[in-house]
Amino acid sequence: MRIEQIYTGCLAQGAYYIESNGEAVVIDPLREVEPYITRAEKDGARFKYVLETHFHADFVSGHIDLAEKTGAEIVFGPTAKPAFAAHVAQDGEILKVGDITLKVLHTPGHTMESTCFLLTDENGKDTAIFTGDTLFIGDVGRPDLAQKVVAELTQDKLARHLFTSLRTKIMPLPDDIIVYPAHGAGSACGKNMSKETTDTLGNQKLFNYALRADMTEQEFVKEITDGLMPPPAYFPENVMMNIRGYDSIDTVLERGNHALDPDTFEVAANETDAVMLDTREARMFAQGFIPNSINIGIDGNFAPWVGAMIPDIKQKILVITDEGREEEVVTRLARVGYDYTIGHLKGGFEAWKNAGKEIDQIESITVNEMVERIKNNPSLTVLDVRKASEHFSEHVVGSENIPLDYLNDHLAEISKDKTYLVHCAGGYRSMIFNSILKSRGYDNLIDIQGGFKAIKEAGLVKISEYVCASTML
């Protein structure tokens, strides 16, 4: 028997490959399925099942493509109603894979169809449980996402379902069982996840706040719903793609991998409503970019920020990226449902510049330069685009806070006539912020290199006293 966690850091997502005696399954696969197929071929195994713990909100699963390419059967838990061929399993149903079995444990709460899979090894010992978004390391799944799709499923109702599921289906299991969740720290599917991606169930009973033995149902509901931030806008759209189906990843890649020379790219930008998405590193973008393009760096928390900043997953996208990374960008967009990349700039930004096309820039300065400018012009505004909790914990005294997540809700607060010194934690989010505003006609934006980290380390401006962000809850 082999169990392999395939973890994708930018989505904080864990898929699982399990093989026994020539048969294999994948649990919660990503959109691009070839790596799973290659893995099974290496083992000389055939796929029997694609197991889905629930209809995911934060990414588009590869279940349909994987089933079509391998002949595997897609399996969901009870109450699921997919719009494609799949087996909707019964609670307690046993799925045999080689010499092992996987028991279906219906655990509604995160969503109503949420299901865990309990693995029993070839010796009849319960060994591992694949918990999806029901149980994380240090946390449990948030109970408010399903109501974005089905209004009557309030977070209170779902939280009570989750309380019962954890206490009747998971907590009675042996302490030595290994917990394999669908996500780790950085995912928006929970609020207190550990950076660890596996643990024993016994440890979780000791240290996971939501599994306290003496916790009442009302206490549980209050604790898991306190402090929940609104989910990214694209979450309900991903749920519906996972329920209804989607274009094959091969079709998406073929559509997005059109190389356009600068002239053709310019025509496409002018004649369509496509967003020009530049995925280069922030400092490189600041030095020169195509006017009206926006920057979301591929080497950061790329997919979730695309989801937050581009509300419509059917939006056409034109890509500007480093040469050789075009397919990676299209693939990572497709992971979160952005299937309508219509081409990329052949030769990247350098080709555009060498063609003599118009370019734009964003001024980017060091902390020392920031301090000097404030001395010369005390009316300058320091604008912090980190999350409200980050700003609350520590900030430049006198700075304003407009979190990048809620930029569209606060545009009226930003004056085109004022000059802003913009920073985030390290420089990634501030360039997203600046590029979006620049594309909307805001020209008085200056980016602070290195963000709050550099500002604090320099010790040249007054910083508020540290306050733990948990006091906001």
Side-chain angles (χ1 to χ4, degrees), residues 98-373:
D99 298 325
I100 66 170
T101 61
L102 290 153
K103 184 177 182 180
V104 175
L105 300 180
H106 187 211
T107 52
H110 176 65
T111 65
M112 287 308 294
E113 79 284 352
S114 285
T115 294
C116 300
F117 297 96
L118 176 65
L119 186 151
T120 302
D121 68 17
E122 47 272 272
N123 299 313
K125 177 177 171 54
D126 293 339
T127 301
I129 185 167
F130 301 88
T131 54
D133 287 19
T134 295
L135 175 63
F136 300 124
I137 308 306
D139 200 3
V140 291
R142 57 190 294 170
D144 63 322
L145 297 183
Q147 67 185 351
K148 304 297 181 182
V149 180
V150 183
E152 61 265 26
L153 288 176
T154 66
Q155 68 178 30
D156 183 82
K157 287 180 182 177
L158 285 161
R160 294 178 190 281
H161 279 299
L162 184 56
F163 177 83
T164 300
S165 293
L166 290 166
R167 278 149 180 79
T168 61
K169 296 292 183 66
I170 294 179
M171 290 175 67
L173 296 172
D175 288 352
D176 62 350
I177 282 178
I178 304 298
V179 176
Y180 290 106
H183 294 290
S187 168
C189 294
K191 63 178 183 177
N192 191 44
M193 282 178 265
S194 169
K195 64 181 180 180
E196 303 299 327
T197 59
T198 65
D199 195 8
T200 64
L201 182 57
N203 264 346
Q204 286 305 292
K205 291 176 186 177
L206 291 174
F207 299 114
N208 189 320
Y209 75 98
L211 301 188
R212 293 200 313 269
D214 61 348
M215 182 181 257
T216 67
E217 183 180 272
Q218 196 56 42
E219 288 172 337
F220 177 87
V221 171
K222 183 177 186 303
E223 290 197 36
I224 71 164
T225 56
D226 274 355
L228 284 175
M229 299 296 291
Y234 72 95
F235 271 27
E237 300 293 337
N238 276 197
V239 171
M240 297 316 296
M241 288 179 72
N242 283 319
I243 293 174
R244 294 172 180 167
Y246 45 73
D247 286 344
S248 166
I249 187 65
D250 299 332
T251 301
V252 175
L253 291 174
E254 183 180 352
R255 183 162 53 219
N257 279 334
H258 288 157
L260 308 174
D261 63 42
D263 288 337
T264 308
F265 188 93
E266 186 173 31
V267 169
N270 290 334
E271 295 188 356
T272 71
D273 61 352
V275 167
M276 290 183 288
L277 178 62
D278 191 321
T279 69
R280 293 175 297 149
E281 189 269 330
R283 291 280 293 278
M284 293 298 296
F285 178 85
Q287 292 168 18
F289 56 89
I290 299 173
N292 297 320
S293 61
I294 66 171
N295 174 241
I296 305 178
I298 191 67
D299 289 323
N301 206 12
F302 176 70
W305 279 117
V306 169
M309 295 294 101
I310 304 177
D312 182 7
I313 64 171
K314 294 183 179 178
Q315 171 69 55
K316 293 175 183 174
I317 296 173
L318 287 164
V319 167
I320 306 110
T321 193
D322 297 315
E323 282 194 89
R325 305 193 72 176
E326 297 85 4
E327 184 170 320
E328 177 189 0
V329 172
V330 177
T331 300
R332 288 175 64 178
L333 287 168
R335 284 178 183 169
V336 289
Y338 290 81
D339 284 4
Y340 294 94
T341 301
I342 59 174
H344 62 83
L345 178 59
K346 184 179 181 180
F349 177 72
E350 286 303 309
W352 180 272
K353 187 169 68 173
N354 293 338
K357 303 288 188 181
E358 182 183 358
I359 66 171
D360 206 344
Q361 294 178 314
I362 289 173
E363 188 175 8
S364 181
I365 63 175
T366 66
V367 175
N368 285 354
E369 290 173 305
M370 179 191 84
V371 172
E372 194 62 32
R373 294 202 188 189

Side-chain angles (χ1 to χ4, degrees), residues 371-383:
V371 172
E372 194 62 32
R373 294 202 188 189
I374 292 173
K375 283 181 182 177
N376 295 331
N377 185 2
S379 67
L380 290 175
T381 300
V382 176
L383 183 57

